[in-house]
Structures are given as C-alpha cells and as structure tokens.
Amino acid sequence: MGCWSVLKALKDNGFEKNTIVIFSSDNGPEKYAFERAEKYGHYSMGDFRGLKRDVWEGGHHIPFVIKWPGIVKAGSISNEVISQIDIMATVAAITQTKIPKGSAVDSYNLLPLIMGKKHQSPLREATVHNTYVGSWGLRQGKWLYINKPTGEVTKMPESFKKLKGYTDFKTKGLLFDMDKDPEQRVNLYEQFPEKIKEMDALIQKYRDQGYSVIK
C-alpha cells in the first residue's frame, strides 16, 4: 500500500486530523543505482556520495517527513540532523509514555523541533554512521568524520567514478564540512587534527559504552 493510499484511508475513515504520519526509508539505494545512473541518468542517491551499506552520506541520508495536522505546518523544512531511532523518544513524549530504564538509550526527543519551538541546535550530540565492524562515521554539527580512507563498502565502478569526477583519498581518515561540501569531495582531514582527535575519541566512547550519549 502506497503512502497516498494510507493517507486516503485515514481521511475516509475520519482519522486524518488526529493521526501522526511519519514517512521515511531505511537507507540509501542498492548497488544497482550505479548502472541505473550511467544508463538512464537517474541518480537514486541524488547528489550524495555512496549507496546502502556505505559510510558515505549516500548510504545514510534519507527522507523523513512528518504529517501532524495543527502542529506541523505544511511545507515546513528543517536542516536538523536526526535519526530514525529518535522516533521512540519522540512518540513517548507525545503520548506522555515513560520509557523503561535502559530502553531507547540512543533516542532523542524531537518534539521541540517538530513543534517549531526554540531549542539548542543540534539536538543530537552526534549521529553515528556504521554498517560494518571497524568502519565508522560520526556526524557532529556540520562535520562528518570517517575513521577510514574511504566510506566505501559497495565497490564503486570506475566508470561511475569518472562520470561523477570522484577521486580516491590517501589519508588515514576523512573529514568533511557537510554544510559546504555535501557531495564529500574536499577532504579536510589534515587541516583539522584536533577535530579528528575529538571525534575519534567520541566514537570510541560510544563503542565502549554500547550507546551514544544523550544530553
């Protein structure tokens, strides 16, 4: 059933005005997206680098749309970095449900953001990108740090690399300013050693304790 069918069913049955609808997806596109882009000019990953399983932005940057009549203004947009795991804490706050101790420890309450209230930005201390052991990315504000010379897991064809003008990086890790460089073309790893040290330590802290910190 498509999203429009769900919305129609809610409206037809009188539930439209008191139902919160969240539309999202689980990850970036599959490896077939490379061939599709080259053959048909259809870029499932948009302008982002990488696909599903990659630590690149294209593997983790997904749609997240909320319909909440009377609360969320139609057409409103936020550039806040969030995660689907935040749904638990957010819905719990909306329904005034207490989350059991030790549950949803990575989940942030997005209610202030959704309701358009003033809040400390970013809401999340940091957001982890990870699909395979040993390959980690960490988004913190405008910065995205990757602890490997590449965010690649799915091999990018040389033909696609040439088409997009991508080059391989030679540094031990990677650092990108996502506000200025969402396509991840300019590696700032050697220019900000202190930022690398700080973000690498935060990844290790998250790994050691088994969850991310909530302020």
Side-chain angles (χ1 to χ4, degrees):
M1 184 182 289
C3 62
W4 295 114
S5 298
V6 172
L7 295 177
K8 184 177 185 302
L10 289 172
K11 185 175 182 178
D12 291 347
N13 289 278
F15 299 125
E16 180 185 27
K17 293 184 179 180
N18 67 342
T19 301
I20 300 170
V21 177
I22 299 176
F23 172 83
S24 190
S25 65
D26 57 347
N27 45 244
E30 259 291 0
K31 60 183 178 180
Y32 315 108
F34 288 135
E35 182 181 359
R36 189 161 54 236
E38 292 187 59
K39 202 169 183 180
Y40 303 107
H42 176 74
Y43 293 83
S44 303
M45 71 294 288
D47 292 328
F48 299 120
R49 188 170 187 152
L51 307 176
K52 177 181 178 178
R53 302 181 189 86
D54 290 341
V55 186
W56 295 123
E57 186 72 1
H60 296 261
H61 194 121
I62 57 172
F64 193 93
V65 182
I66 297 179
K67 181 179 182 291
W68 189 357
I71 300 296
V72 176
K73 185 180 178 181
S76 57
I77 297 173
S78 172
N79 292 318
E80 189 85 27
V81 176
I82 63 171
S83 173
Q84 288 178 338
I85 59 177
D86 300 329
I87 294 175
M88 174 69 86
T90 304
V91 172
I94 292 170
T95 59
Q96 298 182 7
T97 302
K98 186 176 181 180
I99 299 177
K101 186 177 181 181
S103 301
V105 290
D106 296 283
S107 192
Y108 282 68
N109 176 15
L110 304 178
L111 197 51
L113 172 66
I114 293 171
M115 299 186 73
K117 294 181 179 180
K118 288 185 178 180
H119 63 277
Q120 181 178 343
S121 186
L123 277 173
R124 305 186 110 258
E125 179 183 58
T127 303
V128 174
H129 292 198
N130 173 254
T131 48
Y132 280 87
V133 175
S135 186
W136 294 78
L138 188 70
R139 178 70 183 267
Q140 190 172 42
K142 68 177 185 177
W143 298 108
L144 178 58
Y145 164 63
I146 298 174
N147 68 345
K148 297 288 182 181
T150 179
E152 182 178 279
V153 173
T154 301
K155 184 67 176 176
M156 183 183 291
E158 290 299 323
S159 54
F160 185 84
K161 201 178 290 185
K162 183 177 180 181
L163 176 66
K164 291 290 289 183
Y166 287 136
T167 55
D168 295 328
F169 301 107
K170 307 295 183 182
T171 51
K172 184 180 177 181
L174 304 169
L175 182 69
F176 302 100
D177 180 338
M178 298 302 290
D179 285 353
K180 296 179 180 178
D181 181 31
E183 295 187 44
Q184 296 175 296
R185 295 179 181 274
V186 182
N187 178 20
L188 302 173
Y189 184 87
E190 294 180 331
Q191 297 181 38
F192 297 92
E194 289 303 313
K195 177 56 67 174
I196 296 296
K197 185 177 179 181
E198 172 191 322
M199 296 184 75
D200 198 50
L202 189 56
I203 288 178
Q204 191 57 51
K205 180 180 179 180
Y206 287 174
R207 293 179 65 182
D208 290 344
Q209 66 187 17
Y211 57 89
S212 57
V213 174
I214 297 180
K215 291 183 177 181

